Structure formats: C-alpha cells, structure tokens
Amino acid sequence: MRWYPHVTVAAIVEREGRFLFVEEDKGHGPVLNQPAGHLEDDETIPAAVEREVLEETGWTVAAQALVGIYRWRNPGNGETFLRFCLACTPLAHDAQRRLDDGILRALWLSPDELCAYRLRSPLVRPCLDDWLAGERLPLTLLRTIG
C-alpha cells in the first residue's frame, strides 16, 4: 500500500482588519477553520481555493498570493495533510447562497477574537500568523503542467 497525503487548500481573506472564517460541525461540536477543502482533479490550486471559499461562505474571492505550504500528520488517525494557504481578496458576497453541508456560518474575526474558538486543526493559526508576518509569495510558483 502506498502513502499519499490529503492535498488541501485554505484561504486567508482579510477585510478591514478582520478575517473570514467558517464555523463548522463535522460531528464533534463546532470548530473554526479558514475556508478550506480538498484539491479536486483537473483543478489548479488558486481555482480550488476560490471554489472552496464560495462554497463555504458565499464570498467570491480572487487568489492573490501564496502564504505558505504546511504539512501536518493527525496524531489521532495518522492521516497527513498538505495544505496550500493562499491570500485572497474579497470581491462580492451572495448572502442567499446555500453553504456546504456541515458549515454552520461564515464570520469575520480579528486575530484576537479567534482565541475564543476551538480550531479545527493546528494548521489554522500558523496560516494566519504567517499572513500577519507578511508572508506572500507569487502565485506563479504554483505551476500546473499538462
């Protein structure tokens, strides 16, 4: 059997000093996460993050920069996640859009307000902290061949 990580994308979306998060419940109580999800076949990483943000929050965004690439092995089940976190600019909101199953709500929080919530994984805070530290790499680093 061959090992493969779960390839995921996440978005840092900032507006007036607040950041877009989703409160979700996957069966173990509410947790907070950046809008995030799995990369799909025949999808670029920027397209995946823009799709996930729309599906989970109703916000249309434009991917602007790569914040970082993060690897985490879940000690509970041994699964490994490879997360591409992208900085995105909010463009428009569709308040009538039905959100993905398990998403309770989208909310805008300051970094300090985030501390009051249980996070979905240890990947959430480092992504935000790296953005706050000014980490931005060009999207041209994320090349699709073929």
Short mmCIF file of all heavy atoms in Angstrom, two decimals, residues 64-113:
data_model
loop_
_atom_site.label_atom_id
_atom_site.label_comp_id
_atom_site.label_asym_id
_atom_site.label_seq_id
_atom_site.Cartn_x
_atom_site.Cartn_y
_atom_site.Cartn_z
N GLN A 64 -4.53 35.88 -4.57
CA GLN A 64 -3.51 36.90 -4.84
C GLN A 64 -2.09 36.42 -4.62
O GLN A 64 -1.18 36.84 -5.32
CB GLN A 64 -3.75 38.12 -3.95
CG GLN A 64 -5.07 38.80 -4.19
CD GLN A 64 -5.18 39.39 -5.57
OE1 GLN A 64 -4.24 40.01 -6.06
NE2 GLN A 64 -6.29 39.20 -6.22
N ALA A 65 -1.89 35.57 -3.60
CA ALA A 65 -0.52 35.18 -3.24
C ALA A 65 -0.53 33.88 -2.45
O ALA A 65 -1.54 33.54 -1.82
CB ALA A 65 0.15 36.28 -2.42
N LEU A 66 0.60 33.20 -2.48
CA LEU A 66 0.79 32.01 -1.66
C LEU A 66 1.34 32.46 -0.31
O LEU A 66 2.35 33.14 -0.24
CB LEU A 66 1.78 31.06 -2.34
CG LEU A 66 2.22 29.84 -1.55
CD1 LEU A 66 1.05 28.89 -1.33
CD2 LEU A 66 3.36 29.13 -2.30
N VAL A 67 0.65 32.09 0.76
CA VAL A 67 1.11 32.42 2.11
C VAL A 67 2.09 31.36 2.60
O VAL A 67 3.11 31.66 3.19
CB VAL A 67 -0.08 32.55 3.09
CG1 VAL A 67 0.40 32.74 4.52
CG2 VAL A 67 -0.98 33.69 2.66
N GLY A 68 1.77 30.09 2.34
CA GLY A 68 2.66 29.02 2.78
C GLY A 68 2.11 27.65 2.42
O GLY A 68 0.97 27.51 2.01
N ILE A 69 2.97 26.67 2.58
CA ILE A 69 2.61 25.26 2.37
C ILE A 69 2.91 24.56 3.69
O ILE A 69 4.01 24.67 4.23
CB ILE A 69 3.41 24.63 1.22
CG1 ILE A 69 3.19 25.43 -0.07
CG2 ILE A 69 3.03 23.17 1.03
CD1 ILE A 69 4.13 25.05 -1.20
N TYR A 70 1.94 23.85 4.21
CA TYR A 70 2.01 23.29 5.55
C TYR A 70 1.75 21.79 5.51
O TYR A 70 0.83 21.33 4.83
CB TYR A 70 0.97 23.96 6.46
CG TYR A 70 1.08 25.46 6.45
CD1 TYR A 70 0.49 26.21 5.43
CD2 TYR A 70 1.81 26.13 7.42
CE1 TYR A 70 0.61 27.58 5.39
CE2 TYR A 70 1.94 27.52 7.38
CZ TYR A 70 1.34 28.23 6.36
OH TYR A 70 1.46 29.59 6.32
N ARG A 71 2.54 21.04 6.28
CA ARG A 71 2.36 19.59 6.38
C ARG A 71 2.02 19.27 7.83
O ARG A 71 2.69 19.72 8.76
CB ARG A 71 3.64 18.87 5.98
CG ARG A 71 3.52 17.36 6.01
CD ARG A 71 4.88 16.73 5.67
NE ARG A 71 4.79 15.30 5.55
CZ ARG A 71 5.00 14.45 6.56
NH1 ARG A 71 5.28 14.91 7.76
NH2 ARG A 71 4.91 13.15 6.37
N TRP A 72 0.95 18.48 8.02
CA TRP A 72 0.54 18.09 9.37
C TRP A 72 0.07 16.65 9.36
O TRP A 72 -0.72 16.25 8.50
CB TRP A 72 -0.58 19.00 9.88
CG TRP A 72 -1.15 18.57 11.19
CD1 TRP A 72 -0.51 18.49 12.39
CD2 TRP A 72 -2.50 18.17 11.44
NE1 TRP A 72 -1.36 18.06 13.37
CE2 TRP A 72 -2.60 17.87 12.81
CE3 TRP A 72 -3.64 18.06 10.64
CZ2 TRP A 72 -3.78 17.44 13.41
CZ3 TRP A 72 -4.81 17.64 11.22
CH2 TRP A 72 -4.88 17.33 12.60
N ARG A 73 0.57 15.88 10.30
CA ARG A 73 0.12 14.50 10.49
C ARG A 73 -0.78 14.47 11.70
O ARG A 73 -0.36 14.82 12.81
CB ARG A 73 1.31 13.57 10.69
CG ARG A 73 0.90 12.12 10.74
CD ARG A 73 2.14 11.22 10.77
NE ARG A 73 1.76 9.85 10.61
CZ ARG A 73 1.53 9.01 11.64
NH1 ARG A 73 1.63 9.45 12.88
NH2 ARG A 73 1.19 7.77 11.42
N ASN A 74 -2.02 14.06 11.49
CA ASN A 74 -3.00 13.97 12.57
C ASN A 74 -2.62 12.81 13.48
O ASN A 74 -2.65 11.65 13.05
CB ASN A 74 -4.39 13.77 11.97
CG ASN A 74 -5.48 13.75 13.01
OD1 ASN A 74 -5.25 13.40 14.17
ND2 ASN A 74 -6.68 14.11 12.60
N PRO A 75 -2.27 13.10 14.73
CA PRO A 75 -1.86 12.01 15.62
C PRO A 75 -3.01 11.06 15.97
O PRO A 75 -2.77 9.92 16.36
CB PRO A 75 -1.33 12.73 16.86
CG PRO A 75 -1.96 14.07 16.83
CD PRO A 75 -2.21 14.40 15.38
N GLY A 76 -4.24 11.52 15.81
CA GLY A 76 -5.38 10.69 16.14
C GLY A 76 -5.63 9.55 15.16
O GLY A 76 -6.04 8.46 15.57
N ASN A 77 -5.37 9.82 13.87
CA ASN A 77 -5.66 8.77 12.88
C ASN A 77 -4.51 8.52 11.91
O ASN A 77 -4.61 7.69 11.02
CB ASN A 77 -6.94 9.11 12.09
CG ASN A 77 -6.84 10.41 11.34
OD1 ASN A 77 -5.75 10.93 11.09
ND2 ASN A 77 -7.99 10.97 10.99
N GLY A 78 -3.43 9.26 12.04
CA GLY A 78 -2.25 9.05 11.20
C GLY A 78 -2.33 9.65 9.82
O GLY A 78 -1.38 9.54 9.05
N GLU A 79 -3.45 10.30 9.47
CA GLU A 79 -3.57 10.91 8.14
C GLU A 79 -2.69 12.15 8.07
O GLU A 79 -2.58 12.91 9.03
CB GLU A 79 -5.03 11.27 7.84
CG GLU A 79 -5.91 10.06 7.67
CD GLU A 79 -7.34 10.46 7.32
OE1 GLU A 79 -7.81 11.52 7.78
OE2 GLU A 79 -7.98 9.69 6.59
N THR A 80 -2.10 12.36 6.89
CA THR A 80 -1.25 13.52 6.67
C THR A 80 -1.94 14.47 5.70
O THR A 80 -2.52 14.05 4.71
CB THR A 80 0.11 13.09 6.09
OG1 THR A 80 0.75 12.25 7.05
CG2 THR A 80 1.00 14.29 5.81
N PHE A 81 -1.85 15.76 6.03
CA PHE A 81 -2.44 16.80 5.21
C PHE A 81 -1.35 17.73 4.71
O PHE A 81 -0.47 18.13 5.48
CB PHE A 81 -3.48 17.60 6.01
CG PHE A 81 -4.67 16.78 6.39
CD1 PHE A 81 -4.64 15.97 7.51
CD2 PHE A 81 -5.80 16.79 5.60
CE1 PHE A 81 -5.73 15.19 7.85
CE2 PHE A 81 -6.89 16.02 5.94
CZ PHE A 81 -6.86 15.21 7.07
N LEU A 82 -1.41 18.06 3.44
CA LEU A 82 -0.53 19.03 2.81
C LEU A 82 -1.41 20.20 2.40
O LEU A 82 -2.23 20.06 1.48
CB LEU A 82 0.19 18.42 1.61
CG LEU A 82 1.27 19.26 0.97
CD1 LEU A 82 2.42 19.50 1.94
CD2 LEU A 82 1.79 18.56 -0.28
N ARG A 83 -1.29 21.32 3.11
CA ARG A 83 -2.18 22.47 2.92
C ARG A 83 -1.46 23.59 2.21
O ARG A 83 -0.40 24.03 2.62
CB ARG A 83 -2.68 22.96 4.28
CG ARG A 83 -3.51 24.24 4.19
CD ARG A 83 -3.87 24.78 5.56
NE ARG A 83 -5.17 24.28 5.96
CZ ARG A 83 -5.98 24.93 6.80
NH1 ARG A 83 -5.62 26.08 7.35
NH2 ARG A 83 -7.14 24.42 7.11
N PHE A 84 -2.08 24.07 1.13
CA PHE A 84 -1.63 25.26 0.42
C PHE A 84 -2.53 26.41 0.87
O PHE A 84 -3.73 26.37 0.62
CB PHE A 84 -1.75 25.08 -1.10
CG PHE A 84 -0.79 24.08 -1.66
CD1 PHE A 84 -1.05 22.71 -1.57
CD2 PHE A 84 0.38 24.49 -2.27
CE1 PHE A 84 -0.16 21.79 -2.08
CE2 PHE A 84 1.28 23.57 -2.79
CZ PHE A 84 1.01 22.21 -2.69
N CYS A 85 -1.94 27.39 1.52
CA CYS A 85 -2.72 28.52 2.02
C CYS A 85 -2.46 29.73 1.13
O CYS A 85 -1.31 30.12 0.92
CB CYS A 85 -2.33 28.82 3.46
SG CYS A 85 -3.29 30.18 4.16
N LEU A 86 -3.54 30.31 0.61
CA LEU A 86 -3.44 31.45 -0.30
C LEU A 86 -4.14 32.67 0.29
O LEU A 86 -5.20 32.55 0.91
CB LEU A 86 -4.08 31.12 -1.65
CG LEU A 86 -3.22 30.37 -2.67
CD1 LEU A 86 -2.79 29.02 -2.15
CD2 LEU A 86 -3.96 30.22 -3.97
N ALA A 87 -3.53 33.82 0.09
CA ALA A 87 -4.16 35.09 0.43
C ALA A 87 -5.11 35.46 -0.70
O ALA A 87 -4.76 35.36 -1.88
CB ALA A 87 -3.11 36.18 0.60
N CYS A 88 -6.32 35.88 -0.32
CA CYS A 88 -7.36 36.21 -1.31
C CYS A 88 -7.98 37.56 -0.99
O CYS A 88 -8.07 37.96 0.16
CB CYS A 88 -8.45 35.14 -1.29
SG CYS A 88 -7.89 33.48 -1.70
N THR A 89 -8.45 38.21 -2.04
CA THR A 89 -9.16 39.48 -1.92
C THR A 89 -10.66 39.22 -2.06
O THR A 89 -11.07 38.56 -3.02
CB THR A 89 -8.71 40.45 -3.03
OG1 THR A 89 -7.31 40.66 -2.90
CG2 THR A 89 -9.44 41.77 -2.94
N PRO A 90 -11.48 39.71 -1.12
CA PRO A 90 -12.93 39.54 -1.25
C PRO A 90 -13.48 40.45 -2.35
O PRO A 90 -13.10 41.61 -2.45
CB PRO A 90 -13.47 39.92 0.12
CG PRO A 90 -12.45 40.86 0.69
CD PRO A 90 -11.12 40.43 0.10
N LEU A 91 -14.36 39.90 -3.20
CA LEU A 91 -14.93 40.67 -4.31
C LEU A 91 -16.42 40.92 -4.15
O LEU A 91 -16.88 42.04 -4.36
CB LEU A 91 -14.68 39.93 -5.62
CG LEU A 91 -13.23 39.64 -5.98
CD1 LEU A 91 -13.13 38.82 -7.25
CD2 LEU A 91 -12.44 40.94 -6.11
N ALA A 92 -17.17 39.88 -3.81
CA ALA A 92 -18.63 40.01 -3.70
C ALA A 92 -19.17 38.92 -2.81
O ALA A 92 -18.56 37.86 -2.66
CB ALA A 92 -19.27 39.91 -5.09
N HIS A 93 -20.35 39.18 -2.23
CA HIS A 93 -20.97 38.20 -1.34
C HIS A 93 -22.39 37.88 -1.80
O HIS A 93 -23.16 38.79 -2.11
CB HIS A 93 -21.00 38.72 0.10
CG HIS A 93 -21.52 37.73 1.07
ND1 HIS A 93 -22.63 37.95 1.83
CD2 HIS A 93 -21.08 36.48 1.38
CE1 HIS A 93 -22.85 36.89 2.59
NE2 HIS A 93 -21.93 35.98 2.33
N ASP A 94 -22.72 36.61 -1.83
CA ASP A 94 -24.07 36.14 -2.13
C ASP A 94 -24.67 35.60 -0.84
O ASP A 94 -24.45 34.45 -0.47
CB ASP A 94 -24.02 35.04 -3.20
CG ASP A 94 -25.38 34.48 -3.54
OD1 ASP A 94 -26.39 34.90 -2.93
OD2 ASP A 94 -25.45 33.60 -4.43
N ALA A 95 -25.42 36.45 -0.14
CA ALA A 95 -25.99 36.07 1.15
C ALA A 95 -27.05 34.98 1.03
O ALA A 95 -27.39 34.34 2.02
CB ALA A 95 -26.58 37.31 1.82
N GLN A 96 -27.58 34.76 -0.17
CA GLN A 96 -28.63 33.75 -0.37
C GLN A 96 -28.05 32.38 -0.72
O GLN A 96 -28.78 31.39 -0.78
CB GLN A 96 -29.57 34.20 -1.49
CG GLN A 96 -30.22 35.55 -1.25
CD GLN A 96 -30.93 35.62 0.10
OE1 GLN A 96 -31.69 34.74 0.45
NE2 GLN A 96 -30.65 36.67 0.85
N ARG A 97 -26.77 32.31 -0.97
CA ARG A 97 -26.15 31.04 -1.39
C ARG A 97 -26.19 30.03 -0.25
O ARG A 97 -25.86 30.33 0.89
CB ARG A 97 -24.70 31.28 -1.82
CG ARG A 97 -24.05 30.04 -2.37
CD ARG A 97 -22.62 30.30 -2.83
NE ARG A 97 -21.99 29.08 -3.25
CZ ARG A 97 -22.05 28.57 -4.47
NH1 ARG A 97 -22.71 29.22 -5.40
NH2 ARG A 97 -21.46 27.44 -4.76
N ARG A 98 -26.57 28.81 -0.58
CA ARG A 98 -26.57 27.71 0.38
C ARG A 98 -25.12 27.28 0.61
O ARG A 98 -24.37 27.05 -0.33
CB ARG A 98 -27.38 26.54 -0.16
CG ARG A 98 -27.53 25.41 0.82
CD ARG A 98 -28.45 24.32 0.24
NE ARG A 98 -28.61 23.23 1.16
CZ ARG A 98 -27.74 22.23 1.34
NH1 ARG A 98 -26.64 22.19 0.62
NH2 ARG A 98 -27.97 21.28 2.21
N LEU A 99 -24.73 27.18 1.87
CA LEU A 99 -23.36 26.81 2.21
C LEU A 99 -23.22 25.29 2.26
O LEU A 99 -24.20 24.56 2.44
CB LEU A 99 -22.97 27.43 3.55
CG LEU A 99 -23.13 28.96 3.64
CD1 LEU A 99 -22.66 29.45 5.01
CD2 LEU A 99 -22.39 29.66 2.53
N ASP A 100 -21.98 24.82 2.13
CA ASP A 100 -21.69 23.38 2.18
C ASP A 100 -22.27 22.74 3.43
O ASP A 100 -22.37 23.39 4.49
CB ASP A 100 -20.18 23.15 2.17
CG ASP A 100 -19.59 23.07 0.78
OD1 ASP A 100 -20.33 23.14 -0.21
OD2 ASP A 100 -18.36 22.93 0.69
N ASP A 101 -22.58 21.46 3.33
CA ASP A 101 -23.04 20.69 4.49
C ASP A 101 -21.99 20.76 5.59
O ASP A 101 -20.79 20.67 5.32
CB ASP A 101 -23.28 19.22 4.11
CG ASP A 101 -24.51 19.05 3.21
OD1 ASP A 101 -25.36 19.96 3.18
OD2 ASP A 101 -24.61 18.00 2.55
N GLY A 102 -22.43 20.91 6.80
CA GLY A 102 -21.53 20.97 7.94
C GLY A 102 -21.08 22.37 8.31
O GLY A 102 -20.57 22.59 9.40
N ILE A 103 -21.26 23.34 7.38
CA ILE A 103 -20.89 24.72 7.67
C ILE A 103 -22.04 25.38 8.42
O ILE A 103 -23.17 25.44 7.91
CB ILE A 103 -20.56 25.51 6.39
CG1 ILE A 103 -19.43 24.84 5.60
CG2 ILE A 103 -20.23 26.97 6.72
CD1 ILE A 103 -18.10 24.82 6.29
N LEU A 104 -21.77 25.84 9.62
CA LEU A 104 -22.81 26.49 10.43
C LEU A 104 -22.97 27.96 10.05
O LEU A 104 -24.08 28.47 9.97
CB LEU A 104 -22.48 26.37 11.91
CG LEU A 104 -22.28 24.94 12.43
CD1 LEU A 104 -21.82 24.95 13.88
CD2 LEU A 104 -23.56 24.13 12.26
N ARG A 105 -21.84 28.62 9.81
CA ARG A 105 -21.88 30.03 9.42
C ARG A 105 -20.49 30.50 9.03
O ARG A 105 -19.48 29.88 9.39
CB ARG A 105 -22.41 30.90 10.55
CG ARG A 105 -21.52 30.90 11.78
CD ARG A 105 -22.12 31.69 12.91
NE ARG A 105 -21.32 31.51 14.12
CZ ARG A 105 -21.11 32.43 15.03
NH1 ARG A 105 -21.66 33.62 14.88
NH2 ARG A 105 -20.39 32.19 16.11
N ALA A 106 -20.47 31.59 8.30
CA ALA A 106 -19.22 32.29 7.99
C ALA A 106 -19.18 33.51 8.88
O ALA A 106 -20.22 34.12 9.15
CB ALA A 106 -19.19 32.70 6.52
N LEU A 107 -18.00 33.85 9.37
CA LEU A 107 -17.89 35.02 10.22
C LEU A 107 -16.53 35.70 10.03
O LEU A 107 -15.56 35.07 9.62
CB LEU A 107 -18.13 34.67 11.68
CG LEU A 107 -17.25 33.66 12.38
CD1 LEU A 107 -17.44 33.82 13.89
CD2 LEU A 107 -17.66 32.25 12.02
N TRP A 108 -16.52 36.99 10.32
CA TRP A 108 -15.32 37.81 10.22
C TRP A 108 -14.82 38.07 11.63
O TRP A 108 -15.56 38.57 12.47
CB TRP A 108 -15.63 39.14 9.52
CG TRP A 108 -16.01 38.97 8.09
CD1 TRP A 108 -17.26 38.78 7.59
CD2 TRP A 108 -15.12 38.98 6.97
NE1 TRP A 108 -17.20 38.67 6.22
CE2 TRP A 108 -15.90 38.79 5.81
CE3 TRP A 108 -13.74 39.13 6.83
CZ2 TRP A 108 -15.35 38.75 4.53
CZ3 TRP A 108 -13.19 39.09 5.56
CH2 TRP A 108 -13.99 38.90 4.43
N LEU A 109 -13.56 37.73 11.89
CA LEU A 109 -12.99 37.86 13.22
C LEU A 109 -11.63 38.55 13.17
O LEU A 109 -10.89 38.39 12.20
CB LEU A 109 -12.78 36.49 13.86
CG LEU A 109 -14.00 35.61 14.09
CD1 LEU A 109 -13.58 34.23 14.53
CD2 LEU A 109 -14.93 36.24 15.10
N SER A 110 -11.32 39.25 14.24
CA SER A 110 -9.96 39.77 14.40
C SER A 110 -9.08 38.63 14.88
O SER A 110 -9.58 37.63 15.40
CB SER A 110 -9.96 40.92 15.42
OG SER A 110 -10.16 40.39 16.72
N PRO A 111 -7.77 38.76 14.76
CA PRO A 111 -6.88 37.72 15.29
C PRO A 111 -7.10 37.45 16.77
O PRO A 111 -7.06 36.31 17.22
CB PRO A 111 -5.48 38.26 15.01
CG PRO A 111 -5.66 39.12 13.80
CD PRO A 111 -7.01 39.77 14.00
N ASP A 112 -7.38 38.50 17.55
CA ASP A 112 -7.63 38.31 18.99
C ASP A 112 -8.93 37.55 19.24
O ASP A 112 -8.99 36.72 20.15
CB ASP A 112 -7.67 39.65 19.71
CG ASP A 112 -6.30 40.31 19.79
OD1 ASP A 112 -5.27 39.60 19.66
OD2 ASP A 112 -6.25 41.54 19.97
N GLU A 113 -9.96 37.81 18.46
CA GLU A 113 -11.24 37.12 18.64
C GLU A 113 -11.13 35.63 18.33
O GLU A 113 -11.88 34.82 18.87
CB GLU A 113 -12.31 37.77 17.76
CG GLU A 113 -12.70 39.15 18.21
CD GLU A 113 -13.58 39.88 17.21
OE1 GLU A 113 -13.39 39.71 15.99
OE2 GLU A 113 -14.46 40.63 17.66
#
